[in-house]
Amino acid sequence: MTQAETTPRTGKRVLLAKPRGYCAGVDRAVQTVEEALKLYGAPIYVRKQIVHNKHVVRTLEAKGAIFVEENEEVPEGATVIFSAHGVAPEVYEQARERSLRAIDATCPLVTKVHQEAKRFAAEDYDILLIGHEGHEEVIGTAGEAPAHIQLVDGPDGVDKVTVRDPNKVVWLSQTTLSVDETMETVARLKSRLPLLQSPPSDDICYATSNRQHVVKEIASECDVVIVVGSRNSSNSVRLVEVALDAGARAGHLVDFAHEIDDTWLVGATTVGLTSGASVPDELVQEVLAYLAARGFTDVDEVVTANERLTFSLPQELKRDMKAAAARG
Ligand code: SF4
């Protein structure tokens, strides 16, 4: 007899979203810290949280990573890794001044937005950067061309925008925004600035849009959608908002299964489950086990895309790994 045949059917089910969890940029950033620890030994300093996830940060701390806010906290000559969210050029400069061995784990899709910002600034455009004020990624991107970039924090930020020449304006965005809200912001910007140009390719990354797309597919069938992710993870917070906008009766963000409040499940027959791009799947499996213990034993995985993208490790790390391998 199969397990399905022995498990009593309760009529309670989980719709498990796929894609969910780790994206290529997060996977590369976490591997960068792990490989650097193996190669250079502990401690390895990491400027800011390598990715916005409590569990990942704690796990890397246990292996010898030390998370700091700024380069000044890193001893001269030590190794520092810059997080997946990217940094402004002055941060590389500070690292050089302190003779730090800097390894850049910025996601290549964030670097792409930095390159766009530099290019449009060099052509003297006004750049409207749609994003969340204070988010590390936005600080890093804006730092590429502070004189040309102004932040537009959602549709309500549109009225504050002023530009020098309405014929020479482009919008760019943070990679982890809500696709729908960003389009609303762009529509409002265009009603004020009809000649506003769009980025050469989407700035909201594939992982963010794929995770939002599948949540939209399942949301209307769900009494509650649980998103595994941390509160400072922009793409995770957006998933809860997207689920609610798409018809979920309730939505909650949790770092760990034990944070689930059983009252959320009262009267529920369908629970949606997904996770942000910085969340290892073991945390989702723990939530599945938690739900199974409460009668949600049927799990249907709803798949809307298969992701195969991977990024290679930062050049500076690969070079040192190769040299170490050659030394034997
Ligand atoms: S969410 Fe997107 S931009 Fe951010 S690390 Fe992942 S792939 Fe890169």
Side-chain angles (χ1 to χ4, degrees):
M1 212 182 265
T2 65
Q3 190 179 354
E5 286 163 327
T6 55
T7 307
R9 297 189 74 82
T10 59
K12 293 179 178 181
R13 65 174 181 160
V14 179
L15 294 182
L16 179 61
K18 186 178 174 186
R20 62 177 181 276
Y22 265 22
C23 61
V26 163
D27 195 30
R28 171 184 187 259
V30 173
Q31 269 190 54
T32 297
V33 180
E34 288 172 346
E35 292 298 331
L37 281 163
K38 277 190 232 159
L39 187 64
Y40 309 119
I44 293 289
Y45 292 82
V46 183
R47 184 183 176 278
K48 311 282 185 192
Q49 292 192 351
I50 185 74
V51 299
H52 286 156
N53 183 263
K54 263 189 205 169
H55 175 80
V56 171
V57 168
R58 282 181 199 163
T59 306
L60 292 172
E61 273 175 339
K63 293 180 179 175
I66 297 178
F67 290 87
V68 296
E69 281 302 302
E70 294 301 341
N71 285 339
E72 296 116 61
E73 297 162 63
V74 182
E76 292 213 5
T79 300
V80 65
I81 297 176
F82 299 143
S83 78
H85 308 100
V87 294
E90 68 195 38
V91 176
Y92 298 104
E93 191 49 42
Q94 290 161 359
R96 262 193 298 277
E97 283 164 12
R98 293 181 65 73
S99 308
L100 304 180
R101 173 173 29 211
I103 299 173
D104 187 4
T106 302
C107 175
L109 299 181
V110 174
T111 303
K112 184 199 79 137
V113 183
H114 282 225
Q115 303 297 358
E116 289 169 353
K118 282 197 277 193
R119 201 186 97 211
F120 284 110
E123 293 173 23
D124 204 28
Y125 275 76
D126 276 336
I127 300 167
L128 307 179
L129 177 63
I130 302 173
H132 295 300
E133 188 159 12
H135 190 278
E136 280 153 46
E137 183 186 319
V138 161
I139 294 169
T141 308
E144 292 287 0
H148 288 83
I149 294 181
Q150 54 188 302
L151 183 69
V152 183
D153 194 344
D156 295 340
V158 170
D159 294 341
K160 292 185 217 134
V161 168
T162 54
V163 296
R164 292 169 301 159
D165 177 358
N167 299 312
K168 218 169 172 188
V169 192
V170 64
W171 70 272
L172 302 178
S173 85
Q174 191 178 330
T175 56
T176 50
L177 301 180
S178 152
V179 175
D180 293 343
E181 190 187 275
T182 303
M183 288 307 114
E184 189 188 329
T185 305
V186 172
R188 280 174 71 166
L189 282 170
K190 281 198 168 151
S191 71
R192 284 197 55 203
L193 300 162
L195 296 179
L196 178 70
Q197 291 186 37
S198 298
S201 60
D202 289 346
D203 287 342
I204 295 178
C205 76
Y206 79 99
T208 299
S209 33
N210 284 349
R211 280 151 192 69
Q212 289 175 16
H213 179 68
V214 62
V215 160
K216 274 193 204 172
E217 289 289 307
I218 62 172
S220 62
E221 290 186 62
C222 297
D223 298 299
V224 56
V225 170
I226 295 174
V227 178
V228 186
S230 292
R231 302 223 154 264
N232 61 344
S233 162
S234 172
N235 80 87
S236 304
V237 174
R238 300 291 83 77
L239 285 173
V240 178
E241 295 169 356
V242 167
L244 292 170
D245 284 349
R249 258 72 77 203
H252 300 282
L253 184 68
V254 295
D255 261 298
F256 303 103
H258 67 77
E259 292 174 6
I260 295 171
D261 184 333
D262 280 344
T263 61
W264 301 345
L265 307 176
V266 173
T269 50
T270 302
V271 174
L273 178 59
T274 187
S275 56
S278 46
V279 179
D281 210 52
E282 65 194 85
L283 300 182
V284 174
Q285 297 306 321
E286 284 169 22
V287 172
L288 281 175
Y290 181 99
L291 293 171
R294 283 149 186 82
F296 291 85
T297 45
D298 288 346
V299 179
D300 293 335
E301 192 166 52
V302 178
V303 183
T304 54
N306 283 305
E307 295 178 346
R308 294 193 178 85
L309 186 68
T310 56
F311 294 128
S312 66
L313 291 172
Q315 286 298 338
E316 52 276 31
L317 180 61
K318 279 204 304 197
R319 182 195 57 218
D320 287 358
M321 288 166 74
K322 208 168 151 191
R327 283 194 303 272

